Amino acid sequence: MIYFLEDDSGIRNFVTYALNNSGFETESFEVPSEFWHAMDRKIPELILLDIMLPEEDGLTILKRIRSDDTTNRLPVIMLTAKDTEYDKVEGLDSGADDYVSKPFGIMELLSRIKALLRRTTVKNIENVELRVGSVRIYPSRHEVIADGVKINLTLKEYELLLWLVKNRDEVFSRDTLLRKIWGYDFSGESRTVDVHIRTLRSKLGRSGDIIKTIRGVGYKAEDNINDSKDI
C-alpha cells in the first residue's frame, strides 16, 4: 500500500491512476487530516509526500512520521515544485529517503518507488528483530541483547534461545529440543538441554526469566516475566 498526499487534484489523480495500473495499491489524500486518519487505520509500505500543503506542510508531517516509533522507518519520497539545493537538503535532512522535483515523469517516479522499496526490503531483512520481554535477537548479526547489554553465547545456547523465541509460548519437551537443536534422538533422560537452559538463564541475567520450565513437560519462552522455576 502506498499513501500519496497531494493537494493538486490533477497531479493526485494522475499519479494515483498510474500507480494503481502499475500494480501498486494506492490511496491518495488532499489534506493532511485525511492522511492522518488513514495512518491511524493502517500503516502503508511507502509514502509520497508533497511539501506545500494546507493545514500543515510536508516537512512537518515528515518530522512527525520520523518521531513515532511505529512509523520512523517508513520509506518516504518528497514531491515538490521547489527545486533549490537548500530545499532538497532540508527535506533529506528531515528524514526523506528520496526527493523528486515537479514536474516529473511518471516512469521516473515509478522507478524511484521500486528502487526505494527494494532497498527497504533488504534493510528490513538485515535489521529483523525478534523479541521476548527485554531480550532482543538479531539473526542476521547473530547478536543477542538482554536489558540493553550484548550477551555472548555459545552456538548451541544461541540456537536454543533463537528456537524458543521464534516459537514463543509453545512448550517443547527435552527430546524435541534435542532433535531440533542437537539433531539427534535420545531415548532416556538427558541433562544436555537442562544444562544449556541453566547456563542460558545465567548469561541472560534478569532477562533469563523469559525461559519458563513447565514441570513434567519441558520449556518455553514467554513475555510475561514472573519468577522462573528451577530446573
Side-chain angles (χ1 to χ4, degrees):
M1 171 65 75
I2 294 176
Y3 283 175
F4 179 32
L5 179 53
E6 166 65 64
D7 63 328
D8 185 308
S9 61
I11 295 175
R12 186 175 65 252
N13 293 336
F14 173 69
V15 171
T16 301
Y17 175 83
L19 291 176
N20 286 332
N21 277 274
S22 298
F24 294 105
E25 185 181 358
T26 309
E27 284 191 38
S28 59
F29 312 95
E30 182 177 4
V31 293
S33 55
E34 296 176 351
F35 168 78
W36 290 121
H37 285 316
M39 290 287 284
D40 288 336
R41 296 193 308 270
K42 182 177 180 180
I43 303 298
E45 295 174 81
L46 182 144
I47 296 171
L48 296 177
L49 181 60
D50 189 27
I51 287 185
M52 303 301 292
L53 292 164
E55 299 182 351
E56 58 181 328
D57 64 84
L59 290 176
T60 301
I61 292 171
L62 178 60
K63 290 174 183 176
R64 285 180 60 182
I65 291 170
R66 291 294 181 247
S67 65
D68 190 325
D69 288 342
T70 61
T71 59
N72 60 11
R73 293 184 179 179
L74 269 177
V76 177
I77 297 178
M78 304 296 293
L79 304 178
T80 178
K82 293 185 175 182
D83 59 0
T84 66
E85 183 178 6
Y86 173 81
D87 292 320
K88 291 181 180 180
V89 170
E90 186 178 10
L92 294 171
D93 283 350
S94 298
D97 296 284
D98 203 352
Y99 195 107
V100 178
S101 298
K102 301 175 184 176
F104 53 83
I106 193 62
M107 297 306 295
E108 177 191 0
L109 180 61
L110 287 170
S111 179
R112 296 282 190 95
I113 290 171
K114 291 175 182 177
L116 181 53
L117 287 175
R118 284 196 299 269
R119 296 200 305 271
T120 304
T121 299
V122 171
K123 185 182 296 185
N124 287 342
I125 292 173
E126 292 175 347
N127 293 331
V128 65
E129 176 189 270
L130 301 173
R131 63 170 67 185
V132 173
S134 58
V135 174
R136 308 288 184 268
I137 303 177
Y138 301 91
S140 65
R141 306 200 300 263
H142 210 274
E143 186 174 273
V144 176
I145 306 292
D147 283 324
V149 178
K150 184 176 180 180
I151 308 299
N152 293 318
L153 302 177
T154 67
L155 177 60
K156 290 306 178 186
E157 289 166 354
Y158 172 81
E159 291 178 346
L160 179 58
L161 178 64
L162 181 63
W163 178 265
L164 291 172
V165 170
K166 287 174 68 175
N167 299 279
R168 59 197 292 174
D169 298 322
E170 186 174 350
V171 181
F172 295 96
S173 68
R174 292 169 175 81
D175 289 343
T176 298
L177 291 172
L178 278 171
R179 289 195 302 271
K180 296 295 185 181
I181 308 304
W182 282 268
Y184 61 83
D185 295 320
F186 188 90
S187 57
E189 187 175 352
S190 171
R191 300 294 293 176
T192 300
V193 175
D194 294 345
V195 169
H196 278 75
I197 289 289
R198 183 182 293 115
T199 57
L200 188 53
R201 281 174 171 160
S202 177
K203 289 184 177 182
L204 292 174
R206 292 186 306 171
S207 299
D209 287 350
I210 66 165
I211 302 174
K212 301 298 183 183
T213 300
I214 309 302
R215 297 291 185 184
V217 183
Y219 300 101
K220 70 173 180 176
E222 68 177 22
D223 267 319
N224 58 319
I225 302 175
N226 302 311
D227 292 334
S228 60
K229 300 178 182 179
D230 295 331
I231 295 173

